[in-house]
Short mmCIF file of all heavy atoms in Angstrom, two decimals:
data_model
loop_
_atom_site.label_atom_id
_atom_site.label_comp_id
_atom_site.label_asym_id
_atom_site.label_seq_id
_atom_site.Cartn_x
_atom_site.Cartn_y
_atom_site.Cartn_z
N MET E 1 202.60 -56.56 21.54
CA MET E 1 201.85 -55.52 22.18
C MET E 1 200.61 -55.22 21.36
O MET E 1 200.63 -55.14 20.16
CB MET E 1 202.71 -54.25 22.24
CG MET E 1 201.97 -53.05 22.76
SD MET E 1 203.01 -51.56 22.83
CE MET E 1 202.17 -50.58 21.61
N VAL E 2 199.51 -55.03 22.03
CA VAL E 2 198.27 -54.62 21.40
C VAL E 2 198.36 -53.13 21.11
O VAL E 2 198.91 -52.38 21.92
CB VAL E 2 197.05 -54.94 22.30
CG1 VAL E 2 195.78 -54.33 21.71
CG2 VAL E 2 196.91 -56.44 22.49
N ASP E 3 197.86 -52.66 20.03
CA ASP E 3 197.88 -51.25 19.69
C ASP E 3 197.24 -50.42 20.79
O ASP E 3 196.07 -50.60 21.08
CB ASP E 3 197.13 -51.07 18.37
CG ASP E 3 197.10 -49.58 17.94
OD1 ASP E 3 197.63 -48.74 18.61
OD2 ASP E 3 196.54 -49.36 16.85
N PRO E 4 197.98 -49.50 21.44
CA PRO E 4 197.42 -48.71 22.54
C PRO E 4 196.33 -47.74 22.09
O PRO E 4 195.64 -47.18 22.92
CB PRO E 4 198.62 -48.00 23.13
CG PRO E 4 199.62 -47.94 22.01
CD PRO E 4 199.35 -49.19 21.21
N THR E 5 196.20 -47.55 20.81
CA THR E 5 195.16 -46.64 20.31
C THR E 5 193.87 -47.40 20.00
O THR E 5 192.88 -46.79 19.55
CB THR E 5 195.60 -45.86 19.09
OG1 THR E 5 195.88 -46.76 18.03
CG2 THR E 5 196.84 -45.01 19.40
N SER E 6 193.91 -48.73 20.15
CA SER E 6 192.70 -49.51 19.86
C SER E 6 191.71 -49.46 21.01
O SER E 6 192.03 -49.03 22.12
CB SER E 6 193.09 -50.97 19.59
OG SER E 6 193.38 -51.61 20.84
N ASP E 7 190.48 -49.87 20.75
CA ASP E 7 189.48 -49.90 21.77
C ASP E 7 189.64 -51.08 22.69
O ASP E 7 188.98 -51.16 23.72
CB ASP E 7 188.09 -49.98 21.12
CG ASP E 7 187.73 -48.70 20.41
OD1 ASP E 7 188.25 -47.66 20.78
OD2 ASP E 7 186.92 -48.73 19.51
N LEU E 8 190.55 -51.98 22.37
CA LEU E 8 190.72 -53.17 23.17
C LEU E 8 191.29 -52.90 24.57
O LEU E 8 190.88 -53.44 25.57
CB LEU E 8 191.65 -54.21 22.48
CG LEU E 8 191.17 -54.76 21.16
CD1 LEU E 8 192.19 -55.62 20.54
CD2 LEU E 8 189.87 -55.51 21.33
N GLU E 9 192.28 -52.08 24.63
CA GLU E 9 192.98 -51.71 25.86
C GLU E 9 193.45 -52.92 26.63
O GLU E 9 193.54 -52.89 27.84
CB GLU E 9 192.14 -50.79 26.71
CG GLU E 9 191.81 -49.46 26.07
CD GLU E 9 191.00 -48.53 26.89
OE1 GLU E 9 190.92 -48.72 28.14
OE2 GLU E 9 190.42 -47.59 26.34
N GLU E 10 193.75 -53.98 25.94
CA GLU E 10 194.26 -55.20 26.60
C GLU E 10 195.73 -55.33 26.37
O GLU E 10 196.29 -54.87 25.36
CB GLU E 10 193.53 -56.44 25.96
CG GLU E 10 192.07 -56.47 26.22
CD GLU E 10 191.38 -57.65 25.54
OE1 GLU E 10 192.10 -58.48 24.96
OE2 GLU E 10 190.16 -57.71 25.60
N ASP E 11 196.43 -55.89 27.34
CA ASP E 11 197.85 -56.15 27.25
C ASP E 11 198.70 -54.88 27.07
O ASP E 11 199.80 -54.96 26.61
CB ASP E 11 198.16 -57.12 26.13
CG ASP E 11 197.52 -58.47 26.33
OD1 ASP E 11 197.26 -58.83 27.49
OD2 ASP E 11 197.22 -59.13 25.32
N VAL E 12 198.15 -53.74 27.47
CA VAL E 12 198.92 -52.51 27.40
C VAL E 12 199.22 -52.09 28.84
O VAL E 12 198.30 -51.80 29.59
CB VAL E 12 198.18 -51.37 26.67
CG1 VAL E 12 198.98 -50.10 26.66
CG2 VAL E 12 197.89 -51.82 25.24
N ASP E 13 200.49 -52.06 29.17
CA ASP E 13 200.87 -51.61 30.52
C ASP E 13 201.53 -50.27 30.45
O ASP E 13 201.71 -49.72 29.34
CB ASP E 13 201.72 -52.70 31.23
CG ASP E 13 202.99 -52.95 30.44
OD1 ASP E 13 203.44 -52.15 29.60
OD2 ASP E 13 203.58 -54.05 30.63
N GLU E 14 201.90 -49.73 31.57
CA GLU E 14 202.50 -48.41 31.58
C GLU E 14 203.80 -48.34 30.81
O GLU E 14 204.10 -47.28 30.22
CB GLU E 14 202.70 -47.91 33.01
CG GLU E 14 201.43 -47.63 33.75
CD GLU E 14 201.67 -47.00 35.08
OE1 GLU E 14 202.78 -46.61 35.42
OE2 GLU E 14 200.68 -46.91 35.85
N GLU E 15 204.57 -49.42 30.75
CA GLU E 15 205.85 -49.41 30.03
C GLU E 15 205.66 -49.43 28.54
O GLU E 15 206.48 -48.89 27.81
CB GLU E 15 206.66 -50.62 30.45
CG GLU E 15 207.16 -50.50 31.88
CD GLU E 15 208.04 -51.70 32.28
OE1 GLU E 15 208.40 -52.51 31.41
OE2 GLU E 15 208.29 -51.82 33.49
N SER E 16 204.56 -50.02 28.03
CA SER E 16 204.39 -50.10 26.57
C SER E 16 203.40 -49.05 26.06
O SER E 16 203.25 -48.92 24.84
CB SER E 16 203.98 -51.51 26.14
OG SER E 16 202.97 -52.01 26.89
N ALA E 17 202.80 -48.28 26.92
CA ALA E 17 201.87 -47.23 26.48
C ALA E 17 202.65 -46.03 26.00
O ALA E 17 203.74 -45.74 26.54
CB ALA E 17 200.94 -46.84 27.65
N PRO E 18 202.13 -45.30 25.04
CA PRO E 18 202.82 -44.10 24.60
C PRO E 18 202.73 -43.06 25.70
O PRO E 18 201.78 -43.02 26.52
CB PRO E 18 202.02 -43.66 23.37
CG PRO E 18 200.67 -44.28 23.51
CD PRO E 18 200.87 -45.57 24.29
N GLY E 19 203.70 -42.14 25.76
CA GLY E 19 203.71 -41.10 26.73
C GLY E 19 202.80 -39.94 26.32
O GLY E 19 202.67 -39.62 25.11
N CYS E 20 202.20 -39.29 27.28
CA CYS E 20 201.36 -38.11 27.03
C CYS E 20 202.21 -37.00 26.45
O CYS E 20 203.30 -36.68 26.98
CB CYS E 20 200.70 -37.67 28.31
SG CYS E 20 199.70 -36.16 28.16
N ALA E 21 201.76 -36.34 25.39
CA ALA E 21 202.54 -35.29 24.72
C ALA E 21 202.61 -34.03 25.60
O ALA E 21 203.46 -33.18 25.38
CB ALA E 21 201.90 -34.95 23.40
N THR E 22 201.73 -33.95 26.63
CA THR E 22 201.75 -32.77 27.48
C THR E 22 202.55 -32.99 28.76
O THR E 22 203.43 -32.24 29.13
CB THR E 22 200.34 -32.34 27.83
OG1 THR E 22 199.64 -32.05 26.62
CG2 THR E 22 200.28 -31.10 28.70
N CYS E 23 202.20 -34.09 29.49
CA CYS E 23 202.84 -34.29 30.82
C CYS E 23 203.81 -35.44 30.90
O CYS E 23 204.52 -35.61 31.86
CB CYS E 23 201.73 -34.49 31.88
SG CYS E 23 200.87 -36.05 31.80
N GLY E 24 203.83 -36.30 29.85
CA GLY E 24 204.75 -37.44 29.82
C GLY E 24 204.29 -38.72 30.51
O GLY E 24 204.93 -39.74 30.41
N GLN E 25 203.16 -38.66 31.19
CA GLN E 25 202.62 -39.85 31.87
C GLN E 25 202.08 -40.85 30.78
O GLN E 25 201.79 -40.46 29.70
CB GLN E 25 201.49 -39.45 32.79
CG GLN E 25 201.91 -38.62 33.97
CD GLN E 25 202.87 -39.38 34.87
OE1 GLN E 25 202.64 -40.51 35.22
NE2 GLN E 25 203.99 -38.72 35.22
N PRO E 26 202.02 -42.12 31.16
CA PRO E 26 201.49 -43.09 30.22
C PRO E 26 200.07 -42.75 29.78
O PRO E 26 199.24 -42.39 30.61
CB PRO E 26 201.48 -44.42 30.99
CG PRO E 26 202.50 -44.22 32.07
CD PRO E 26 202.43 -42.76 32.42
N ALA E 27 199.81 -42.79 28.50
CA ALA E 27 198.48 -42.48 27.96
C ALA E 27 197.74 -43.79 27.76
O ALA E 27 197.82 -44.42 26.76
CB ALA E 27 198.61 -41.73 26.65
N LEU E 28 197.01 -44.20 28.80
CA LEU E 28 196.15 -45.37 28.69
C LEU E 28 194.90 -45.23 29.52
O LEU E 28 194.74 -44.27 30.22
CB LEU E 28 196.87 -46.65 29.13
CG LEU E 28 197.90 -46.71 30.17
CD1 LEU E 28 197.42 -47.18 31.51
CD2 LEU E 28 198.87 -47.76 29.68
N GLY E 29 193.98 -46.14 29.32
CA GLY E 29 192.71 -46.11 30.00
C GLY E 29 191.63 -45.34 29.25
O GLY E 29 191.85 -44.88 28.14
N SER E 30 190.53 -45.22 29.88
CA SER E 30 189.38 -44.60 29.20
C SER E 30 189.51 -43.12 28.95
O SER E 30 188.85 -42.56 28.09
CB SER E 30 188.07 -44.88 29.99
OG SER E 30 188.15 -44.29 31.26
N GLY E 31 190.38 -42.43 29.68
CA GLY E 31 190.59 -41.00 29.47
C GLY E 31 191.55 -40.67 28.37
O GLY E 31 191.73 -39.49 28.01
N ARG E 32 192.22 -41.68 27.82
CA ARG E 32 193.22 -41.45 26.78
C ARG E 32 192.60 -40.80 25.56
O ARG E 32 191.50 -41.10 25.16
CB ARG E 32 193.87 -42.80 26.39
CG ARG E 32 194.84 -42.74 25.25
CD ARG E 32 195.27 -44.11 24.82
NE ARG E 32 194.31 -45.15 24.86
CZ ARG E 32 193.37 -45.38 23.94
NH1 ARG E 32 193.28 -44.60 22.92
NH2 ARG E 32 192.56 -46.40 24.07
N ARG E 33 193.36 -39.87 24.96
CA ARG E 33 192.98 -39.24 23.69
C ARG E 33 194.15 -39.29 22.75
O ARG E 33 195.33 -39.24 23.18
CB ARG E 33 192.61 -37.77 23.91
CG ARG E 33 191.46 -37.54 24.88
CD ARG E 33 190.16 -38.02 24.24
NE ARG E 33 189.01 -37.83 25.10
CZ ARG E 33 188.46 -38.73 25.88
NH1 ARG E 33 188.92 -39.96 25.91
NH2 ARG E 33 187.43 -38.47 26.57
N THR E 34 193.89 -39.35 21.45
CA THR E 34 194.90 -39.38 20.42
C THR E 34 194.51 -38.44 19.29
O THR E 34 193.38 -38.47 18.87
CB THR E 34 195.12 -40.80 19.84
OG1 THR E 34 195.44 -41.68 20.92
CG2 THR E 34 196.23 -40.83 18.85
N ILE E 35 195.46 -37.66 18.87
CA ILE E 35 195.24 -36.80 17.70
C ILE E 35 196.24 -37.25 16.60
O ILE E 35 197.40 -37.48 16.87
CB ILE E 35 195.50 -35.31 18.01
CG1 ILE E 35 194.47 -34.82 19.00
CG2 ILE E 35 195.54 -34.46 16.77
CD1 ILE E 35 194.59 -33.39 19.40
N THR E 36 195.71 -37.45 15.40
CA THR E 36 196.50 -37.94 14.28
C THR E 36 196.31 -37.02 13.07
O THR E 36 195.22 -36.55 12.84
CB THR E 36 196.04 -39.38 13.91
OG1 THR E 36 196.08 -40.18 15.05
CG2 THR E 36 196.89 -39.96 12.80
N TRP E 37 197.43 -36.74 12.38
CA TRP E 37 197.32 -35.96 11.17
C TRP E 37 198.39 -36.38 10.18
O TRP E 37 199.34 -37.09 10.53
CB TRP E 37 197.41 -34.47 11.49
CG TRP E 37 198.72 -33.92 11.91
CD1 TRP E 37 199.70 -33.36 11.16
CD2 TRP E 37 199.23 -33.91 13.26
NE1 TRP E 37 200.78 -33.00 11.95
CE2 TRP E 37 200.48 -33.30 13.24
CE3 TRP E 37 198.73 -34.35 14.50
CZ2 TRP E 37 201.28 -33.15 14.38
CZ3 TRP E 37 199.51 -34.18 15.62
CH2 TRP E 37 200.76 -33.57 15.57
N VAL E 38 198.25 -35.96 8.92
CA VAL E 38 199.22 -36.28 7.87
C VAL E 38 200.08 -35.04 7.68
O VAL E 38 199.58 -33.94 7.54
CB VAL E 38 198.46 -36.62 6.55
CG1 VAL E 38 199.44 -36.87 5.43
CG2 VAL E 38 197.57 -37.82 6.78
N ASP E 39 201.39 -35.29 7.65
CA ASP E 39 202.37 -34.23 7.43
C ASP E 39 203.25 -34.69 6.26
O ASP E 39 204.19 -35.47 6.47
CB ASP E 39 203.19 -33.98 8.68
CG ASP E 39 204.17 -32.81 8.51
OD1 ASP E 39 204.08 -32.07 7.52
OD2 ASP E 39 205.03 -32.66 9.41
N GLY E 40 202.93 -34.23 5.04
CA GLY E 40 203.66 -34.71 3.86
C GLY E 40 203.36 -36.20 3.67
O GLY E 40 202.23 -36.60 3.48
N ASP E 41 204.46 -37.01 3.69
CA ASP E 41 204.31 -38.45 3.59
C ASP E 41 204.21 -39.19 4.88
O ASP E 41 204.22 -40.42 4.94
CB ASP E 41 205.50 -39.01 2.75
CG ASP E 41 205.47 -38.60 1.30
OD1 ASP E 41 204.40 -38.25 0.79
OD2 ASP E 41 206.55 -38.56 0.67
N ASP E 42 204.17 -38.44 5.98
CA ASP E 42 204.24 -39.04 7.32
C ASP E 42 202.86 -38.93 8.01
O ASP E 42 202.15 -37.96 7.84
CB ASP E 42 205.25 -38.36 8.21
CG ASP E 42 206.69 -38.49 7.64
OD1 ASP E 42 207.03 -39.56 7.15
OD2 ASP E 42 207.43 -37.49 7.73
N ILE E 43 202.57 -39.96 8.83
CA ILE E 43 201.42 -39.93 9.72
C ILE E 43 202.00 -39.58 11.10
O ILE E 43 202.90 -40.20 11.60
CB ILE E 43 200.70 -41.29 9.76
CG1 ILE E 43 200.31 -41.73 8.37
CG2 ILE E 43 199.53 -41.22 10.73
CD1 ILE E 43 199.28 -40.84 7.71
N VAL E 44 201.43 -38.55 11.74
CA VAL E 44 201.91 -38.07 13.00
C VAL E 44 200.83 -38.29 14.07
O VAL E 44 199.65 -38.03 13.82
CB VAL E 44 202.29 -36.59 12.94
CG1 VAL E 44 202.84 -36.09 14.26
CG2 VAL E 44 203.24 -36.32 11.80
N HIS E 45 201.25 -38.84 15.23
CA HIS E 45 200.32 -39.11 16.34
C HIS E 45 200.77 -38.34 17.56
O HIS E 45 201.99 -38.26 17.83
CB HIS E 45 200.30 -40.58 16.71
CG HIS E 45 200.01 -41.51 15.58
ND1 HIS E 45 198.73 -41.78 15.16
CD2 HIS E 45 200.83 -42.22 14.82
CE1 HIS E 45 198.76 -42.60 14.14
NE2 HIS E 45 200.03 -42.92 13.92
N ARG E 46 199.86 -37.80 18.30
CA ARG E 46 200.15 -37.27 19.65
C ARG E 46 199.13 -37.94 20.59
O ARG E 46 197.93 -37.92 20.34
CB ARG E 46 200.04 -35.76 19.70
CG ARG E 46 201.05 -35.03 18.88
CD ARG E 46 202.49 -35.25 19.42
NE ARG E 46 203.46 -34.58 18.56
CZ ARG E 46 204.17 -35.19 17.65
NH1 ARG E 46 204.01 -36.49 17.39
NH2 ARG E 46 205.03 -34.56 16.94
N HIS E 47 199.65 -38.50 21.67
CA HIS E 47 198.83 -39.20 22.64
C HIS E 47 198.73 -38.37 23.90
O HIS E 47 199.68 -37.68 24.27
CB HIS E 47 199.44 -40.56 22.94
CG HIS E 47 199.63 -41.41 21.74
ND1 HIS E 47 198.61 -42.18 21.24
CD2 HIS E 47 200.71 -41.60 20.92
CE1 HIS E 47 199.10 -42.83 20.16
NE2 HIS E 47 200.35 -42.50 19.95
N PHE E 48 197.56 -38.46 24.55
CA PHE E 48 197.34 -37.69 25.76
C PHE E 48 196.68 -38.59 26.80
O PHE E 48 195.87 -39.44 26.49
CB PHE E 48 196.41 -36.49 25.45
CG PHE E 48 196.94 -35.65 24.36
CD1 PHE E 48 196.53 -35.86 23.04
CD2 PHE E 48 197.85 -34.62 24.61
CE1 PHE E 48 197.06 -35.09 22.01
CE2 PHE E 48 198.37 -33.88 23.58
CZ PHE E 48 197.99 -34.08 22.28
N CYS E 49 197.01 -38.38 28.04
CA CYS E 49 196.49 -39.23 29.11
C CYS E 49 195.11 -38.79 29.54
O CYS E 49 194.39 -39.54 30.19
CB CYS E 49 197.44 -39.26 30.33
SG CYS E 49 197.69 -37.67 31.11
N SER E 50 194.67 -37.57 29.16
CA SER E 50 193.36 -37.07 29.57
C SER E 50 192.95 -35.97 28.63
O SER E 50 193.76 -35.40 27.87
CB SER E 50 193.40 -36.55 30.99
OG SER E 50 194.21 -35.40 31.03
N GLU E 51 191.67 -35.65 28.68
CA GLU E 51 191.12 -34.54 27.88
C GLU E 51 191.77 -33.22 28.28
O GLU E 51 192.08 -32.35 27.48
CB GLU E 51 189.64 -34.45 28.02
CG GLU E 51 189.00 -33.37 27.16
CD GLU E 51 189.15 -33.55 25.67
OE1 GLU E 51 189.31 -34.70 25.22
OE2 GLU E 51 189.08 -32.59 24.95
N SER E 52 192.04 -33.04 29.60
CA SER E 52 192.64 -31.80 30.05
C SER E 52 194.05 -31.61 29.49
O SER E 52 194.46 -30.51 29.11
CB SER E 52 192.63 -31.67 31.59
OG SER E 52 193.37 -32.73 32.17
N CYS E 53 194.84 -32.72 29.40
CA CYS E 53 196.18 -32.61 28.83
C CYS E 53 196.04 -32.27 27.33
O CYS E 53 196.83 -31.50 26.78
CB CYS E 53 196.98 -33.87 29.05
SG CYS E 53 197.83 -33.91 30.63
N ARG E 54 195.09 -32.89 26.62
CA ARG E 54 194.87 -32.57 25.22
C ARG E 54 194.57 -31.10 25.03
O ARG E 54 195.09 -30.43 24.14
CB ARG E 54 193.79 -33.44 24.58
CG ARG E 54 193.77 -33.34 23.08
CD ARG E 54 192.47 -33.67 22.44
NE ARG E 54 191.38 -32.82 22.88
CZ ARG E 54 191.13 -31.54 22.44
NH1 ARG E 54 191.97 -30.99 21.62
NH2 ARG E 54 190.12 -30.85 22.88
N GLU E 55 193.76 -30.52 25.90
CA GLU E 55 193.40 -29.13 25.79
C GLU E 55 194.57 -28.23 26.10
O GLU E 55 194.64 -27.11 25.56
CB GLU E 55 192.22 -28.81 26.74
CG GLU E 55 190.92 -29.42 26.26
CD GLU E 55 189.80 -29.31 27.28
OE1 GLU E 55 190.02 -28.74 28.37
OE2 GLU E 55 188.68 -29.78 26.96
N GLU E 56 195.49 -28.65 26.93
CA GLU E 56 196.69 -27.85 27.29
C GLU E 56 197.82 -27.90 26.28
O GLU E 56 198.72 -27.13 26.29
CB GLU E 56 197.22 -28.29 28.64
CG GLU E 56 196.34 -27.98 29.80
CD GLU E 56 196.92 -28.52 31.09
OE1 GLU E 56 198.12 -28.68 31.22
OE2 GLU E 56 196.09 -28.80 32.00
N TRP E 57 197.71 -28.88 25.36
CA TRP E 57 198.73 -29.12 24.34
C TRP E 57 198.93 -27.92 23.43
O TRP E 57 197.94 -27.31 22.95
CB TRP E 57 198.34 -30.37 23.56
CG TRP E 57 199.20 -30.73 22.37
CD1 TRP E 57 200.52 -30.97 22.35
CD2 TRP E 57 198.72 -30.95 20.99
NE1 TRP E 57 200.92 -31.32 21.12
CE2 TRP E 57 199.82 -31.30 20.27
CE3 TRP E 57 197.47 -30.88 20.42
CZ2 TRP E 57 199.72 -31.59 18.91
CZ3 TRP E 57 197.39 -31.16 19.09
CH2 TRP E 57 198.51 -31.52 18.34
N ASP E 58 200.18 -27.57 23.14
CA ASP E 58 200.51 -26.50 22.23
C ASP E 58 200.44 -27.12 20.80
O ASP E 58 201.36 -27.71 20.31
CB ASP E 58 201.90 -25.95 22.49
CG ASP E 58 202.27 -24.78 21.63
OD1 ASP E 58 201.35 -24.14 21.09
OD2 ASP E 58 203.45 -24.52 21.47
N ASP E 59 199.25 -26.96 20.17
CA ASP E 59 198.96 -27.62 18.94
C ASP E 59 199.95 -27.27 17.83
O ASP E 59 200.11 -26.13 17.49
CB ASP E 59 197.50 -27.21 18.49
CG ASP E 59 196.91 -28.09 17.44
OD1 ASP E 59 197.69 -28.73 16.67
OD2 ASP E 59 195.68 -28.20 17.37
N GLU E 60 200.65 -28.31 17.33
CA GLU E 60 201.68 -28.12 16.35
C GLU E 60 201.24 -28.47 14.96
O GLU E 60 202.07 -28.36 14.01
CB GLU E 60 202.89 -29.01 16.74
CG GLU E 60 202.56 -30.49 16.67
CD GLU E 60 203.54 -31.34 17.41
OE1 GLU E 60 203.38 -31.44 18.65
OE2 GLU E 60 204.41 -31.93 16.76
N ARG E 61 200.01 -28.85 14.75
CA ARG E 61 199.53 -29.21 13.45
C ARG E 61 199.56 -27.99 12.51
O ARG E 61 199.23 -26.88 12.95
CB ARG E 61 198.12 -29.76 13.48
CG ARG E 61 198.01 -31.07 14.26
CD ARG E 61 196.62 -31.51 14.43
NE ARG E 61 195.89 -30.56 15.33
CZ ARG E 61 194.65 -30.68 15.62
NH1 ARG E 61 193.90 -31.62 15.13
NH2 ARG E 61 194.10 -29.82 16.50
N PRO E 62 199.94 -28.21 11.22
CA PRO E 62 199.97 -27.06 10.27
C PRO E 62 198.64 -26.38 10.17
O PRO E 62 198.62 -25.12 10.02
CB PRO E 62 200.35 -27.73 8.94
CG PRO E 62 201.02 -29.02 9.36
CD PRO E 62 200.38 -29.44 10.64
N SER E 63 197.56 -27.09 10.28
CA SER E 63 196.24 -26.47 10.15
C SER E 63 195.81 -25.71 11.39
O SER E 63 194.78 -25.06 11.41
CB SER E 63 195.17 -27.53 9.83
OG SER E 63 195.10 -28.46 10.89
N ALA E 64 196.64 -25.74 12.47
CA ALA E 64 196.30 -25.08 13.72
C ALA E 64 196.49 -23.57 13.64
O ALA E 64 196.08 -22.83 14.51
CB ALA E 64 197.11 -25.69 14.87
N GLY E 65 197.15 -23.13 12.58
CA GLY E 65 197.35 -21.70 12.39
C GLY E 65 198.41 -21.08 13.24
O GLY E 65 198.48 -19.85 13.34
N GLY E 66 199.27 -21.92 13.84
CA GLY E 66 200.23 -21.32 14.72
C GLY E 66 201.59 -21.54 14.32
O GLY E 66 202.57 -21.06 14.69
#
């Protein structure tokens, strides 16, 4: 599988794409957004199928103040 967060967007189908953190739909195509942060020793990713889903996301990052 090609990394779904890469600019290539090749060989990524709905089954291998990560699910949107807001609606659960496959996060692929040009509208896809990804947020990444470090939590202790872990790298955490949240994938979104669109900018509107990213905006609706209940931000769980420690720096989000919530």
Side-chain angles (χ1 to χ4, degrees):
M1 174 180 115
V2 173
D3 180 358
T5 62
S6 75
D7 292 335
L8 297 176
E9 296 182 18
E10 296 176 5
D11 299 332
V12 178
D13 57 23
E14 290 187 11
E15 291 181 12
S16 47
C20 176
T22 301
C23 73
Q25 294 297 314
L28 33 98
S30 62
R32 174 187 37 80
R33 301 290 182 259
T34 303
I35 293 180
T36 305
W37 70 95
V38 176
D39 184 12
D41 291 336
D42 299 320
I43 304 297
V44 183
H45 306 278
R46 294 295 177 262
H47 302 276
F48 306 93
C49 63
S50 66
E51 182 65 25
S52 62
C53 275
R54 191 204 61 77
E55 290 172 358
E56 291 176 26
W57 174 56
D58 185 20
D59 197 333
E60 66 197 81
R61 295 174 291 178
S63 62

